[in-house]
Amino acid sequence: MDHIREMIAAGRTALGIELGSTRIKAVLIGEDSTPIAAGSHEWENRLENGVWTYTLDDVWTGLRHSYAEMAADVERQYGVKVERIGSMGFSAMMHGYMAFDEGGKLLVPFRTWRNTMTEAAAQELTELFHFNIPQRWSIAHLYQAILNGEEHVPAIRFLTTLAGYVHWQLSGEKVLGVGEASGMFPIDSTVNDYDPEMMAAFDAHIAGRGFPWKLRDILPRVLVAGEVAGSLTEEGARLLDPTGTLQSGALLCPPEGDAGTGMVATNSVRVRTGNVSAGTSVFAMMVLEKALANVHTEIDMVTTPTGKPVAMVHCNNCTSDLNAWVNLFHEFAGLMGLDVSMGDLFGKLYNRALEGDADCGGLLACNYFSGEPITGFEEGRPLFVRTPDAKFTLANFMRAHLYSALATLKIGLDILIQEEHVQLDRLLGHGGLFKTPLVGQRIMAAAAGVPVSVMETAGEGGAWGIALLAAFTANREEGESLEDYLDQKVFAGKLGETVAPVAEDQAGFAAFLKRYTQGLAAERAAVEHI
């Protein structure tokens, strides 16, 4: 305790804050990379005028609250105040659209990754670049705004992501980590910068519209893990901690997206490693030995925080519908006078799912709360469907919803593993789906067909991942790679549980997926008529 107190007082700590879809989390780590304090803030996106968004007030209220909780946690545990922090980093959900004018004013409400309003732009850019541009990417949002003739476009002087915005406000630096930047515009991994040929093609494509900017003028500068991305300014310190306790000067690492911090938090930055983050959305990242042979609209090509090419399968929908059903069961338990914690309820229901039939007894759930580009949906309607002779049991019901949470992901994984022959040595899971021991792993192993591990530290999540990147920036030795830093100084000796695929589960998941794919016609009808 004395050592930790002295470490905090001396500022030999690193802070990571990640703005996720439903929670903003702050994690303070010590010299051994172990979390010593944490704070969080719950928030939700809102649908305004057909756009999924968060307000800037939402952002700063949540950041301050999560930081204040972390600082209070430090004082409660160790009896000292957080006055100095050695290094810090900021991460957030990737992609989206935040456009600012010359004076730094937000021109239109923040458009999050969840919006599926850019289909025309994404298709046209994919053809122009011969490179898959997903709907949620920043460049797709920008080009769709151009196609729509939106009045704000000529006034744009800076375009960034949520992580980039927060970093800019706290440091004055308009930069992004290469992994986060790869969700704005395609990256050339040989130079760890925006692809110059594609950038020139875009500028030429819109040249006739007369905008007073070139693309490079308005995009953030790209940095790789380990590079210094500025420091916390006095103004930034007050934005984060209005009490005036926190001093300026903390070293900042490049801001990264939740995909990159997930790779770091699961030690999945080397080639032939992969990770799956499963929460409100779900994505699988696989670090490639070589580029894919073909362009697949279902697969994003992004990078690790050091710029290595990564194949990413991203689905907008994962556990939202599953969580809604668990909340319904919790409400029922309360009606019956039962005091059941959400943690216990999730655990019991998830484990009951493993007692169900491998193919869910003929039940079908479609988990689309919002649109899903992989399967061509711009909107979603959560569905549960069964035939009269289906085996309608609680175990099958829960198993169907667990399968549903990963069904669209499996469609993308099958392309990588079966068509592109991507080889993996390990797949690591993190996020809410894996909180109940072994259950989420077993379902994921059935979907991916490879062993799935969950590290002891997986629950720390992306906030811990960005804290590790901050510590790496401050403490790396000359020539030390991020891969070696994580292997030798963070994860050495840390073991995790590994679950291998069960043949019966794999066959059952395949049967469910066939039913799920056929059932998308019912989902389409629901979107059109309900």
Side-chain angles (χ1 to χ4, degrees):
M1 291 290 286
D2 288 341
H3 174 70
I4 294 176
R5 289 190 191 97
E6 191 272 330
M7 189 167 56
I8 295 169
R12 298 198 308 274
T13 54
L15 173 68
I17 300 182
E18 182 161 281
L19 296 93
S21 300
T22 59
R23 183 173 66 157
I24 301 173
K25 185 175 181 181
V27 171
L28 189 71
I29 66 173
E31 293 169 309
D32 64 353
S33 301
T34 300
I36 55 179
S40 66
H41 174 82
E42 304 295 322
W43 71 338
E44 284 287 349
N45 56 187
R46 57 186 77 186
L47 187 63
E48 294 185 349
N49 300 316
V51 175
W52 289 105
T53 189
Y54 303 84
T55 69
L56 297 188
D57 284 344
D58 292 338
V59 172
W60 292 109
T61 297
L63 279 169
R64 290 171 185 138
H65 184 246
S66 61
Y67 177 85
E69 276 206 349
M70 179 279 298
D73 191 27
V74 168
E75 193 164 1
R76 183 169 53 251
Q77 289 192 75
Y78 311 108
V80 294
K81 292 183 180 295
V82 179
E83 298 179 352
R84 300 167 59 192
I85 296 174
S87 59
M88 59 177 64
F90 299 91
S91 174
M93 59 195 100
M94 289 177 69
H95 319 297
Y97 186 76
M98 298 190 81
F100 298 87
D101 67 10
E102 186 70 38
K105 177 185 175 183
L106 187 66
L107 291 167
V108 291
F110 169 36
R111 299 169 183 175
T112 77
W113 60 271
R114 195 165 200 169
N115 291 286
T116 51
M117 60 177 65
T118 64
E119 183 177 9
Q123 288 179 353
E124 194 171 326
L125 291 177
T126 296
E127 294 174 5
L128 178 66
F129 297 152
H130 304 291
F131 186 97
N132 182 41
I133 302 296
Q135 288 199 49
R136 66 189 174 281
W137 279 30
S138 305
I139 190 63
H141 279 281
L142 173 63
Y143 189 51
Q144 190 66 55
I146 292 171
L147 293 179
N148 293 346
E150 295 188 38
E151 294 181 357
H152 75 276
V153 175
I156 297 174
R157 294 298 179 270
F158 184 45
L159 180 66
T160 191
T161 63
L162 181 55
Y165 164 71
V166 170
H167 185 98
W168 169 40
Q169 295 300 300
L170 297 181
S171 70
E173 299 290 338
K174 296 178 177 179
V175 300
L176 282 185
V178 63
E180 174 78 336
S182 70
M184 292 195 78
F185 192 87
I187 292 291
D188 179 351
S189 288
T190 64
V191 294
N192 288 332
D193 201 355
Y194 304 115
D195 188 290
E197 293 184 4
M198 296 184 195
M199 187 166 278
F202 183 85
D203 285 336
H205 191 64
I206 65 167
R209 297 179 182 267
F211 297 129
W213 47 260
K214 297 286 189 182
L215 191 55
R216 185 169 287 278
D217 299 336
I218 63 173
L219 291 182
R221 185 163 54 93
V222 179
L223 301 174
V224 298
E227 291 190 271
V228 176
S231 61
L232 183 68
T233 64
E234 184 64 35
E235 181 183 13
R238 296 293 70 76
L239 275 173
L240 194 58
D241 178 21
T243 70
T245 305
L246 177 63
Q247 299 175 16
S248 61
L251 198 68
L252 295 188
C253 70
E256 267 297 347
D258 49 2
T261 58
M263 286 185 252
V264 172
T266 55
N267 195 20
S268 304
V269 295
R270 287 194 187 275
V271 296
R272 293 176 64 96
T273 64
N275 79 90
V276 175
S277 174
T280 304
S281 63
V282 59
F283 52 81
M285 316 285 296
M286 300 184 182
V287 188
L288 303 180
E289 297 175 278
K290 59 181 181 180
L292 299 180
N294 301 291
V295 175
H296 301 277
T297 57
E298 302 89 348
I299 309 297
D300 301 7
M301 289 302 302
V302 291
T303 78
T304 68
T306 56
K308 289 184 173 64
V310 173
M312 175 180 180
V313 182
H314 183 284
C315 306
N316 287 354
N317 299 278
C318 185
T319 60
S320 292
D321 191 34
L322 178 60
N323 293 345
W325 283 105
V326 175
N327 285 330
L328 188 71
F329 289 131
H330 188 258
E331 183 181 345
F332 173 74
L335 182 66
M336 299 301 293
L338 303 175
D339 184 13
V340 181
S341 73
M342 290 299 291
D344 284 346
L345 190 57
F346 270 104
K348 289 184 183 301
L349 289 172
Y350 274 34
N351 278 288
R352 177 56 66 91
L354 297 184
E355 300 173 17
D357 296 311
D359 68 348
C360 308
L363 306 184
L364 173 62
C366 184
N367 61 325
Y368 290 0
F369 252 64
S370 62
E372 194 59 81
I374 285 183
T375 48
F377 282 83
E378 295 185 5
E379 297 180 54
R381 301 289 187 273
L383 290 178
F384 174 70
V385 183
R386 62 189 175 101
T387 58
D389 60 345
K391 299 178 182 177
F392 189 32
T393 65
L394 179 61
N396 282 338
F397 180 84
M398 290 306 303
R399 194 175 186 113
H401 281 87
L402 283 167
Y403 278 9
S404 176
L406 298 177
T408 308
L409 180 73
K410 180 169 173 55
I411 293 171
L413 290 178
D414 284 349
I415 293 171
L416 289 174
I417 295 171
Q418 297 177 14
E419 296 183 28
E420 291 283 351
H421 308 293
V422 171
Q423 299 292 315
L424 285 180
D425 293 331
R426 64 176 190 237
L427 188 62
L428 293 107
H430 60 113
L433 186 70
F434 300 104
K435 285 184 178 179
T436 300
L438 304 180
V439 179
Q441 286 170 263
R442 182 167 159 183
I443 302 299
M444 187 68 240
V450 296
V452 176
S453 300
V454 172
M455 304 291 288
E456 296 170 354
T457 51
E460 304 298 345
W464 184 56
I466 192 66
L468 294 177
L469 287 171
F472 176 60
T473 298
N475 303 321
R476 69 178 301 200
E477 299 175 12
E478 186 174 352
E480 185 178 30
S481 70
L482 177 63
E483 292 86 348
D484 288 344
Y485 180 84
L486 294 176
D487 278 346
Q488 299 165 14
K489 297 180 179 177
V490 178
F491 290 95
K494 289 183 168 65
L495 303 177
E497 291 275 2
T498 299
V499 174
V502 176
E504 184 181 4
D505 290 346
Q506 288 182 269
F509 204 122
F512 176 86
L513 189 66
K514 181 178 179 180
R515 190 182 318 129
Y516 185 91
T517 305
Q518 293 170 339
L520 290 177
E523 174 70 13
R524 175 66 62 192
V527 169
E528 293 175 354
H529 298 289
I530 299 177

